[in-house]
Every structure is written in C-alpha cells, then in structure tokens.
Amino acid sequence: MPTDLLRDSQNNPVPHAAPAGPLRLSVNCFALAGPGVDGVLIDSGGGGWASTVGRLEQTMAEARIEPASITDLALTHTHQDHVQGLLTPDGRVLFPNLRAIVIPEAAVKSFYTMAHLARLRPLLKPIRNGDLVAERLRAVALPGACSWSYRLRA
C-alpha cells in the first residue's frame, strides 16, 4: 500500500514511518466452514482501492470457494483493507447471496461514510460484545485499531 495512507491512533498522517515506495501489507480474510458457521466470511479484504489489493475473488476461486456461498460477512472494523472487498475492482458486488453484514455497532457510522457501498447498507446488522453472529460464532470486542474478533464455540 502507499505509505502516505499510514495513520496514527488519531488518524493523522505518519510522516517517514516507512521507507519511500509501496509497503507490503498482508490482508487476511477467513472463510468458515462447518456446522453453525457455513457461509460466514470474516472481513472482505481491500477490493480495488489500491493496485496491490483486490485479489479475494481470485483467491477464493483457487480455494474452490464460490462467492455465492457467502451469506454472512463479519467485519472486524471498517478500514479500507477489510471492507472494500465487498466490491470487485470493476464495481460488482462480490457476494450475490449476502444476507447480512455483521458490523460492530460503533463502526456503522464509518460504513455510512463510504458512498460507493451505499447499496449494501440495508444488510448491516450492528452487534455488541458477546452477541451471537452465527450458531457457533460469537463477537468479542478487543480495544485497539482492529477492534473486534470472532470466537468459535464448540
């Protein structure tokens, strides 16, 4: 990612935080499979907001996961590298059968600032710490930049 996108905890630019040029950033999404979690994806990656991201559709094909099988997306937070993968680089909705976007209650306002995602707003399902996300998946608040996690229940 371009280093000029780096920010401190108050969202101020971080000058000279990294060498000039692009910074390699690993963005992970987790597709869950099994009883009580089938069809759940945690985070959606960076989409096409930068030239070095936006490979979720390709990666899912390599893993033999159909985007149409994803019915619930659980977001850890709404930074670009976690939410922009809802759309493909050419602007299509990647997950045609998405029923819900589970999002921390405090992150809803941030999601609403992304005008290009407006068509997905009706799918937002705000959650709080401890809420059940799926039959075997519970939300866990973790203070910090990545403010939520999800815990599988046995």
Side-chain angles (χ1 to χ4, degrees):
M1 73 179 218
T3 56
D4 63 341
L5 293 177
L6 294 175
R7 301 283 188 253
D8 67 15
S9 61
Q10 281 75 45
N11 202 32
N12 299 308
V14 181
H16 311 293
L23 176 66
R24 180 164 171 77
L25 177 67
S26 176
V27 178
N28 297 307
C29 305
F30 302 93
L32 305 182
V37 293
D38 273 337
V40 176
L41 181 70
I42 298 177
D43 289 330
S44 66
W49 67 274
S51 62
T52 57
V53 295
R55 295 187 176 98
L56 181 58
E57 187 171 28
Q58 173 188 343
T59 303
M60 288 179 73
E62 291 170 5
R64 296 190 174 112
I65 300 170
E66 290 290 329
S69 72
I70 302 302
T71 57
D72 298 276
L73 174 67
L75 294 175
T76 57
H77 59 288
T78 54
H79 289 167
Q80 294 182 85
D81 58 328
H82 291 256
V83 72
Q84 300 295 356
L86 280 160
L87 303 179
T88 62
D90 64 359
R92 292 181 288 109
V93 173
L94 180 57
F95 311 109
N97 295 324
L98 200 58
R99 296 183 310 220
I101 299 172
V102 177
I103 184 170
E105 192 173 57
V108 171
K109 184 177 177 181
S110 174
F111 192 97
Y112 268 73
T113 67
M114 297 177 237
H116 65 291
L117 298 177
R119 60 187 153 174
L120 297 168
R121 291 175 187 161
L123 300 178
L124 294 181
K125 180 182 172 190
I127 56 167
R128 295 181 181 168
N129 185 45
D131 283 354
L132 202 57
V133 174
E135 183 183 328
R136 294 186 52 229
L137 190 65
R138 188 169 301 279
V140 179
L142 298 172
C146 297
S147 57
W148 286 79
S149 183
Y150 297 91
R151 180 176 298 151
L152 287 174
R153 292 186 316 139

